Structure formats: C-alpha cells, structure tokens
Amino acid sequence: QVQLVESGGGLVQPGGSLRLSCAASGTTFSITAMGWYRQTPGKQRDLVASITRGGTTTYADSVKARFTISRDNAKNTVYLQMNSLKPEDTAVYYCNVKEARALWRWDDYWGQGTQVTVSS
C-alpha cells in the first residue's frame, strides 16, 4: 500500500509560478513511475507529467517548456515546478504513483488533490 500527501497549490496570477510536492509513504520500494494529473469540473483526469525511477520524463504538449517534473527517490517525493502559468492551467492537480505489485500488475495510487487557480 502507498499513501500520498500533496501540497503546494494555491492562487497565482497569470505568468506566476507554483511548486507542487507529493510525498509517498508505505511500500515505497515498489514504486515505479510518479506523476501529476489534472482535472477540471466535468472533464476527465489528464496526464500533465510523469517521471520514472530512472528519471525519464513525459510531458503533456500544453505544459512543455513551462513545467518541470522531478523526484527525490531518497525522500520518495515528486515535484512539479510550474512556471509561466496560464488561466487554462486552473484545475485540481492529483499526484499519481504506480506500484509494481507483480510483473503483470501495477496498482495506481492517488493523492487527495490540490487546487491550482490562475487568475488576475
């Protein structure tokens, strides 16, 4: 079992920055990928960025060059540095980790969500 605690959301003006953090606890030795998703009311939860244990990153096209994902494996924590924020970035951001339970089974765990609002 993996438990996730998110922090760092808030209200910021367009062009501003925020840094989200997500700390994992539990069976962290089995965590493979970590990432961030976001969701607005009435829409599906979409991938923002992900990072593997080895440091390989993936970004949604809409956030490339503005957001940076990183992780500290020793602290079992993943971060999302968000720069040049736009109103369309407004959403609830959810931390996600994938736990390798077996060679054929990866379980998903989700943080509680943190609100990011970009508005003047």
Side-chain angles (χ1 to χ4, degrees), residues 50-113:
S50 66
I51 184 169
T52 68
R53 181 177 295 274
T56 300
T57 58
T58 300
Y59 294 94
D61 288 341
S62 59
V63 306
K64 286 182 178 178
R66 298 189 299 119
F67 291 9
T68 302
I69 189 170
S70 61
R71 65 188 288 176
D72 186 334
N73 290 331
K75 296 181 178 179
N76 298 308
T77 301
V78 62
Y79 307 93
L80 185 67
Q81 179 66 46
M82 304 185 293
N83 299 325
S84 301
L85 283 162
K86 304 175 181 179
E88 49 264 44
D89 295 318
T90 296
V92 177
Y93 284 69
Y94 295 90
C95 178
N96 169 265
V97 303
K98 299 186 184 301
E99 180 189 21
R101 299 293 303 277
L103 290 176
W104 64 91
R105 177 182 172 183
W106 285 11
D107 286 346
D108 280 333
Y109 294 88
W110 297 93
Q112 79 278 11

Side-chain angles (χ1 to χ4, degrees), residues 9-18 82 85-87 90 116-120:
L11 175 64
V12 65
Q13 294 183 335
S17 299
L18 286 173
M82 304 185 293
L85 283 162
K86 304 175 181 179
T90 296
V116 172
T117 302
V118 185
S119 177
S120 59

Side-chain angles (χ1 to χ4, degrees), residues 2-60:
V2 175
Q3 297 79 44
L4 304 175
V5 179
E6 302 179 29
S7 62
L11 175 64
V12 65
Q13 294 183 335
S17 299
L18 286 173
R19 189 190 191 210
L20 306 183
S21 298
C22 177
S25 61
T27 54
T28 56
F29 57 86
S30 61
I31 293 175
T32 56
M34 306 182 76
W36 293 92
Y37 289 69
R38 65 187 180 187
Q39 186 174 26
T40 55
K43 297 183 179 180
Q44 67 180 15
R45 192 172 298 180
D46 294 324
L47 175 69
V48 177
S50 66
I51 184 169
T52 68
R53 181 177 295 274
T56 300
T57 58
T58 300
Y59 294 94

